Amino acid sequence: MLQDIFPHQFKNEFTLKRSAIDTDEVFVIKGNDVLSKGDGKVSQVELPKAKLFNKDRLIYLFKIDEKAYYLYNDFVLDNFDLEAFAKLGFAFNKKQIFRSNNPQVTCFAAFTACHLHTWYRDNQYCGRCGQKVEFDTKERALKCPNCGNLIYPKIAPAVIVGITDGDKIVVTQYKDRPYRGVALIAGFCEIGESYEQTAIREAQEEVGLKIKDLKYFGSQPWGMDSNMLVGFFAKVDGDTKITREEDELAVAVWKRKDELEVAESSISLTKTMIKYFKEHGNI
Protein backbone atom coordinates (compact mmCIF):
# COMPACT_ATOMS: atom_id res chain seq x y z
CA MET A 1 0.00 0.00 0.00
CA LEU A 2 0.99 3.63 -0.31
CA GLN A 3 2.54 3.79 3.18
CA ASP A 4 4.69 0.69 2.65
CA ILE A 5 7.86 2.53 1.70
CA PHE A 6 10.43 0.15 3.22
CA PRO A 7 13.46 0.27 3.16
CA HIS A 8 12.84 4.02 3.44
CA GLN A 9 12.04 5.24 6.96
CA PHE A 10 9.23 7.67 7.76
CA LYS A 11 10.20 9.85 10.72
CA ASN A 12 7.27 11.91 11.94
CA GLU A 13 8.74 13.28 15.16
CA PHE A 14 7.87 16.97 15.43
CA THR A 15 10.43 19.71 15.93
CA LEU A 16 10.68 23.46 15.57
CA LYS A 17 14.47 23.38 15.73
CA ARG A 18 15.39 21.95 12.34
CA SER A 19 16.13 24.60 9.73
CA ALA A 20 15.51 23.74 6.10
CA ILE A 21 18.50 22.98 3.90
CA ASP A 22 18.58 23.59 0.15
CA THR A 23 17.84 19.99 -0.86
CA ASP A 24 14.76 19.57 1.34
CA GLU A 25 11.40 19.58 -0.45
CA VAL A 26 8.45 21.90 -0.01
CA PHE A 27 4.69 21.51 -0.37
CA VAL A 28 2.83 24.58 -1.59
CA ILE A 29 -0.86 23.75 -1.43
CA LYS A 30 -3.71 25.83 -2.82
CA GLY A 31 -7.16 24.32 -2.37
CA ASN A 32 -7.03 20.94 -4.10
CA ASP A 33 -3.85 21.75 -6.00
CA VAL A 34 -0.18 21.19 -5.14
CA LEU A 35 2.81 22.92 -6.72
CA SER A 36 4.66 20.19 -8.61
CA LYS A 37 5.92 19.05 -11.99
CA GLY A 38 5.71 15.72 -13.81
CA ASP A 39 2.53 13.78 -14.51
CA GLY A 40 3.29 10.61 -12.53
CA LYS A 41 2.98 8.57 -15.72
CA VAL A 42 5.55 9.50 -18.32
CA SER A 43 7.60 11.41 -15.75
CA GLN A 44 7.89 11.20 -11.98
CA VAL A 45 6.22 13.81 -9.81
CA GLU A 46 8.70 16.35 -8.43
CA LEU A 47 8.46 18.94 -5.68
CA PRO A 48 10.27 22.29 -5.46
CA LYS A 49 13.41 22.42 -3.34
CA ALA A 50 13.74 24.54 -0.21
CA LYS A 51 16.49 26.63 -1.80
CA LEU A 52 13.77 28.35 -3.89
CA PHE A 53 11.97 29.73 -0.83
CA ASN A 54 12.38 32.18 2.00
CA LYS A 55 13.06 29.54 4.64
CA ASP A 56 11.40 31.63 7.35
CA ARG A 57 8.10 30.85 5.62
CA LEU A 58 8.48 27.06 5.92
CA ILE A 59 6.85 24.78 8.50
CA TYR A 60 8.69 21.54 9.23
CA LEU A 61 6.53 18.46 8.63
CA PHE A 62 8.56 15.23 8.80
CA LYS A 63 11.51 13.36 7.33
CA ILE A 64 11.79 10.32 5.10
CA ASP A 65 15.27 8.94 5.59
CA GLU A 66 17.35 12.12 5.91
CA LYS A 67 15.28 14.27 3.54
CA ALA A 68 12.95 16.70 5.28
CA TYR A 69 9.65 17.98 3.93
CA TYR A 70 8.22 21.40 4.69
CA LEU A 71 4.93 23.22 4.19
CA TYR A 72 4.86 26.73 2.76
CA ASN A 73 3.21 28.78 5.48
CA ASP A 74 0.63 30.68 3.47
CA PHE A 75 -2.93 29.39 3.13
CA VAL A 76 -4.13 32.18 0.79
CA LEU A 77 -1.19 32.54 -1.63
CA ASP A 78 -2.42 35.89 -2.96
CA ASN A 79 1.16 37.14 -3.38
CA PHE A 80 2.79 33.87 -4.36
CA ASP A 81 5.21 34.31 -7.29
CA LEU A 82 3.99 31.48 -9.49
CA GLU A 83 5.71 32.88 -12.57
CA ALA A 84 9.15 32.27 -11.11
CA PHE A 85 8.28 28.62 -10.47
CA ALA A 86 6.59 28.22 -13.86
CA LYS A 87 9.92 29.03 -15.52
CA LEU A 88 11.29 25.94 -13.75
CA GLY A 89 8.43 23.75 -14.97
CA PHE A 90 6.27 23.86 -11.85
CA ALA A 91 2.50 24.37 -11.84
CA PHE A 92 -0.43 23.82 -9.50
CA ASN A 93 -1.65 20.29 -10.24
CA LYS A 94 -4.59 18.40 -8.75
CA LYS A 95 -3.81 16.36 -5.64
CA GLN A 96 -4.95 13.26 -7.51
CA ILE A 97 -1.61 13.27 -9.34
CA PHE A 98 -0.12 11.67 -6.23
CA ARG A 99 -2.33 8.59 -6.71
CA SER A 100 0.13 7.71 -9.46
CA ASN A 101 2.49 6.38 -6.77
CA ASN A 102 5.40 7.56 -8.93
CA PRO A 103 7.64 7.81 -7.06
CA GLN A 104 6.07 6.14 -4.05
CA VAL A 105 8.05 8.05 -1.42
CA THR A 106 7.02 11.44 -2.85
CA CYS A 107 3.39 10.40 -3.16
CA PHE A 108 3.23 9.07 0.39
CA ALA A 109 4.83 12.31 1.59
CA ALA A 110 2.20 14.27 -0.33
CA PHE A 111 -0.73 12.41 1.23
CA THR A 112 0.71 13.05 4.70
CA ALA A 113 1.55 16.70 3.93
CA CYS A 114 -2.01 17.32 2.67
CA HIS A 115 -3.32 15.88 5.94
CA LEU A 116 -1.22 18.32 7.97
CA HIS A 117 -1.99 21.24 5.64
CA THR A 118 -5.73 20.76 6.20
CA TRP A 119 -5.19 20.72 9.95
CA TYR A 120 -3.03 23.85 10.00
CA ARG A 121 -5.35 25.70 7.61
CA ASP A 122 -8.54 24.91 9.54
CA ASN A 123 -7.21 25.61 13.05
CA GLN A 124 -5.63 29.05 12.94
CA TYR A 125 -7.88 30.25 15.77
CA CYS A 126 -8.86 28.70 19.07
CA GLY A 127 -12.29 27.08 18.97
CA ARG A 128 -12.74 27.79 22.68
CA CYS A 129 -11.97 31.52 22.97
CA GLY A 130 -11.24 32.72 19.43
CA GLN A 131 -7.60 33.75 20.02
CA LYS A 132 -5.06 33.15 17.23
CA VAL A 133 -3.13 29.97 18.06
CA GLU A 134 0.62 29.32 18.10
CA PHE A 135 2.83 26.29 17.56
CA ASP A 136 3.34 24.28 20.71
CA THR A 137 7.07 23.93 21.41
CA LYS A 138 6.97 20.38 22.82
CA GLU A 139 4.73 18.37 20.48
CA ARG A 140 2.80 18.54 17.22
CA ALA A 141 -0.06 20.64 18.48
CA LEU A 142 -1.43 24.16 18.21
CA LYS A 143 -1.75 26.02 21.49
CA CYS A 144 -3.92 28.96 22.43
CA PRO A 145 -1.81 31.57 24.27
CA ASN A 146 -4.93 32.90 25.98
CA CYS A 147 -6.73 29.87 27.42
CA GLY A 148 -4.16 27.12 26.93
CA ASN A 149 -6.38 25.00 24.66
CA LEU A 150 -4.33 22.39 22.76
CA ILE A 151 -5.41 21.33 19.26
CA TYR A 152 -4.01 18.09 17.85
CA PRO A 153 -4.13 16.86 14.24
CA LYS A 154 -7.53 15.54 13.25
CA ILE A 155 -7.57 11.84 12.38
CA ALA A 156 -10.98 10.48 11.33
CA PRO A 157 -11.42 6.69 11.80
CA ALA A 158 -13.28 4.81 9.07
CA VAL A 159 -13.84 1.19 8.06
CA ILE A 160 -13.76 -0.70 4.78
CA VAL A 161 -15.66 -3.98 4.61
CA GLY A 162 -15.32 -6.78 2.07
CA ILE A 163 -18.65 -8.64 2.38
CA THR A 164 -18.27 -12.15 0.98
CA ASP A 165 -20.45 -15.16 0.14
CA GLY A 166 -18.23 -18.06 -0.88
CA ASP A 167 -16.36 -16.96 -4.00
CA LYS A 168 -18.38 -13.71 -4.34
CA ILE A 169 -17.83 -10.26 -2.86
CA VAL A 170 -19.92 -7.07 -2.82
CA VAL A 171 -18.37 -4.30 -4.90
CA THR A 172 -19.67 -0.77 -5.21
CA GLN A 173 -19.22 2.50 -7.04
CA TYR A 174 -19.84 5.86 -5.39
CA LYS A 175 -22.49 8.16 -6.78
CA ASP A 176 -21.26 11.70 -6.23
CA ARG A 177 -17.55 11.45 -5.35
CA PRO A 178 -14.52 12.23 -7.51
CA TYR A 179 -13.30 8.63 -7.23
CA ARG A 180 -15.29 6.55 -9.73
CA GLY A 181 -13.46 3.23 -9.49
CA VAL A 182 -14.49 -0.01 -7.83
CA ALA A 183 -14.93 0.23 -4.07
CA LEU A 184 -16.07 -1.81 -1.09
CA ILE A 185 -18.52 -0.92 1.67
CA ALA A 186 -17.04 1.92 3.70
CA GLY A 187 -17.96 4.57 6.22
CA PHE A 188 -16.87 6.68 9.17
CA CYS A 189 -17.05 5.60 12.79
CA GLU A 190 -19.75 7.43 14.69
CA ILE A 191 -19.60 8.56 18.31
CA GLY A 192 -19.61 5.60 20.70
CA GLU A 193 -18.98 2.96 18.02
CA SER A 194 -16.23 0.38 17.75
CA TYR A 195 -14.75 -0.40 14.34
CA GLU A 196 -16.71 -3.66 14.30
CA GLN A 197 -20.00 -1.93 15.11
CA THR A 198 -19.34 0.59 12.34
CA ALA A 199 -18.76 -2.23 9.85
CA ILE A 200 -22.06 -3.89 10.81
CA ARG A 201 -23.99 -0.62 10.57
CA GLU A 202 -22.47 0.45 7.24
CA ALA A 203 -23.22 -2.94 5.67
CA GLN A 204 -26.85 -2.61 6.71
CA GLU A 205 -27.19 1.03 5.64
CA GLU A 206 -25.39 0.87 2.29
CA VAL A 207 -26.49 -2.51 0.91
CA GLY A 208 -29.07 -3.88 3.37
CA LEU A 209 -26.96 -6.91 4.34
CA LYS A 210 -26.31 -8.46 7.71
CA ILE A 211 -22.76 -9.66 8.30
CA LYS A 212 -20.93 -12.03 10.64
CA ASP A 213 -17.44 -13.42 11.31
CA LEU A 214 -15.59 -10.12 10.91
CA LYS A 215 -11.85 -10.62 10.42
CA TYR A 216 -9.32 -7.82 10.53
CA PHE A 217 -7.30 -7.40 7.32
CA GLY A 218 -5.18 -4.27 7.69
CA SER A 219 -5.10 -0.52 8.15
CA GLN A 220 -3.96 2.56 6.26
CA PRO A 221 -3.51 6.28 6.91
CA TRP A 222 -5.26 8.13 4.05
CA GLY A 223 -4.07 11.68 4.47
CA MET A 224 -5.93 13.26 1.56
CA ASP A 225 -9.10 12.95 3.63
CA SER A 226 -7.50 12.97 7.12
CA ASN A 227 -8.59 9.35 7.61
CA MET A 228 -7.31 6.24 9.34
CA LEU A 229 -8.82 3.31 7.46
CA VAL A 230 -9.34 -0.12 9.00
CA GLY A 231 -10.24 -3.04 6.73
CA PHE A 232 -12.30 -6.13 7.52
CA PHE A 233 -13.57 -9.11 5.61
CA ALA A 234 -16.95 -10.45 6.72
CA LYS A 235 -19.39 -13.15 5.65
CA VAL A 236 -22.95 -12.35 4.70
CA ASP A 237 -25.37 -13.47 7.38
CA GLY A 238 -28.57 -14.81 5.81
CA ASP A 239 -30.31 -13.08 2.90
CA THR A 240 -27.93 -12.09 0.08
CA LYS A 241 -30.30 -9.66 -1.67
CA ILE A 242 -28.69 -6.22 -1.99
CA THR A 243 -30.74 -3.13 -1.20
CA ARG A 244 -28.57 -0.27 -2.43
CA GLU A 245 -28.44 3.09 -0.65
CA GLU A 246 -29.29 5.16 -3.74
CA ASP A 247 -28.15 8.51 -2.34
CA GLU A 248 -24.68 7.11 -1.63
CA LEU A 249 -23.98 4.45 -4.25
CA ALA A 250 -24.39 4.30 -8.02
CA VAL A 251 -23.61 0.57 -8.11
CA ALA A 252 -23.68 -2.28 -5.58
CA VAL A 253 -23.43 -5.85 -6.90
CA TRP A 254 -22.09 -9.29 -6.09
CA LYS A 255 -19.07 -10.32 -8.19
CA ARG A 256 -17.25 -13.63 -8.38
CA LYS A 257 -13.50 -13.76 -7.88
CA ASP A 258 -12.92 -14.45 -11.56
CA GLU A 259 -14.94 -11.36 -12.52
CA LEU A 260 -12.82 -8.94 -10.50
CA GLU A 261 -10.36 -6.70 -12.28
CA VAL A 262 -7.15 -6.11 -10.34
CA ALA A 263 -5.63 -2.66 -10.65
CA GLU A 264 -1.95 -2.38 -11.57
CA SER A 265 -1.34 -0.29 -8.47
CA SER A 266 -2.42 -1.41 -5.00
CA ILE A 267 -1.76 1.87 -3.23
CA SER A 268 -5.10 1.86 -1.40
CA LEU A 269 -6.46 -0.50 1.23
CA THR A 270 -9.54 -1.08 -0.94
CA LYS A 271 -7.52 -2.19 -3.97
CA THR A 272 -5.29 -4.34 -1.79
CA MET A 273 -8.31 -6.10 -0.29
CA ILE A 274 -9.91 -6.71 -3.69
CA LYS A 275 -6.64 -8.11 -5.03
CA TYR A 276 -6.27 -10.34 -1.97
CA PHE A 277 -9.79 -11.73 -2.36
CA LYS A 278 -9.28 -12.45 -6.05
CA GLU A 279 -6.05 -14.33 -5.33
CA HIS A 280 -6.84 -16.01 -2.00
CA GLY A 281 -10.53 -15.78 -1.23
CA ASN A 282 -11.83 -14.80 2.19
CA ILE A 283 -9.47 -14.80 5.18
Side-chain angles (χ1 to χ4, degrees), residues 38-45 102:
D39 61 5
K41 298 175 183 178
V42 176
S43 57
Q44 292 187 335
V45 180
N102 182 24

Side-chain angles (χ1 to χ4, degrees), residues 67-277:
K67 178 183 288 184
Y69 294 83
Y70 287 80
L71 178 67
Y72 185 64
N73 189 10
D74 186 338
F75 304 111
V76 180
L77 299 179
D78 284 344
N79 299 313
F80 184 74
D81 187 8
L82 180 58
E83 184 177 349
F85 286 89
K87 291 177 180 178
L88 299 173
F90 290 98
F92 280 107
N93 296 299
K94 295 298 181 185
K95 291 178 181 178
Q96 282 72 18
I97 196 172
F98 295 105
R99 285 178 175 265
S100 68
N101 207 27
N102 182 24
Q104 184 173 359
V105 166
T106 300
C107 292
F108 169 67
F111 269 63
T112 310
C114 287
H115 189 165
L116 288 168
H117 169 266
T118 299
W119 172 62
Y120 281 123
R121 181 198 65 195
D122 294 350
N123 293 279
Q124 297 179 62
Y125 295 90
C126 177
R128 183 185 298 169
C129 72
Q131 182 78 16
K132 190 169 180 62
V133 298
E134 302 172 348
F135 296 118
D136 187 71
T137 58
K138 298 180 180 179
E139 57 185 337
R140 195 186 302 278
L142 298 170
K143 184 174 183 178
C144 176
N146 181 52
C147 69
N149 182 31
L150 283 173
I151 306 167
Y152 294 95
K154 172 186 173 183
I155 302 175
V159 300
I160 297 174
V161 193
I163 303 175
T164 66
D165 181 25
D167 69 344
K168 295 183 293 184
I169 189 170
V170 176
V171 297
T172 68
Q173 186 178 55
Y174 295 119
K175 182 178 180 181
D176 296 317
R177 298 189 192 180
Y179 177 70
R180 303 298 293 171
V182 174
L184 300 174
I185 302 304
F188 289 103
C189 296
E190 300 288 352
I191 294 296
E193 281 185 336
S194 67
Y195 287 118
E196 293 82 358
Q197 289 169 332
T198 300
I200 292 168
R201 175 180 55 77
E202 289 292 345
Q204 184 68 48
E205 290 179 355
E206 292 195 359
V207 289
L209 296 175
K210 294 182 179 180
I211 57 176
K212 62 182 180 180
D213 299 338
L214 272 77
K215 293 183 179 180
Y216 173 78
F217 178 82
S219 64
Q220 178 175 45
W222 194 254
M224 288 294 182
D225 299 311
S226 303
N227 296 346
M228 172 57 75
L229 306 176
V230 175
F232 295 94
F233 280 107
K235 296 177 182 177
V236 68
D237 185 9
D239 192 357
T240 60
K241 180 182 178 181
I242 290 175
T243 304
R244 173 172 57 90
E245 174 53 68
E246 297 182 358
D247 292 337
E248 179 80 11
L249 302 175
V251 176
V253 295
W254 287 102
K255 280 199 173 185
R256 297 192 311 272
K257 289 196 302 181
D258 58 9
E259 296 176 313
L260 294 172
E261 296 182 5
V262 176
E264 291 183 8
S265 173
S266 297
I267 68 166
S268 71
L269 179 58
T270 295
K271 290 180 179 179
T272 301
M273 291 176 67
I274 291 173
K275 180 179 180 181
Y276 183 94
F277 183 77

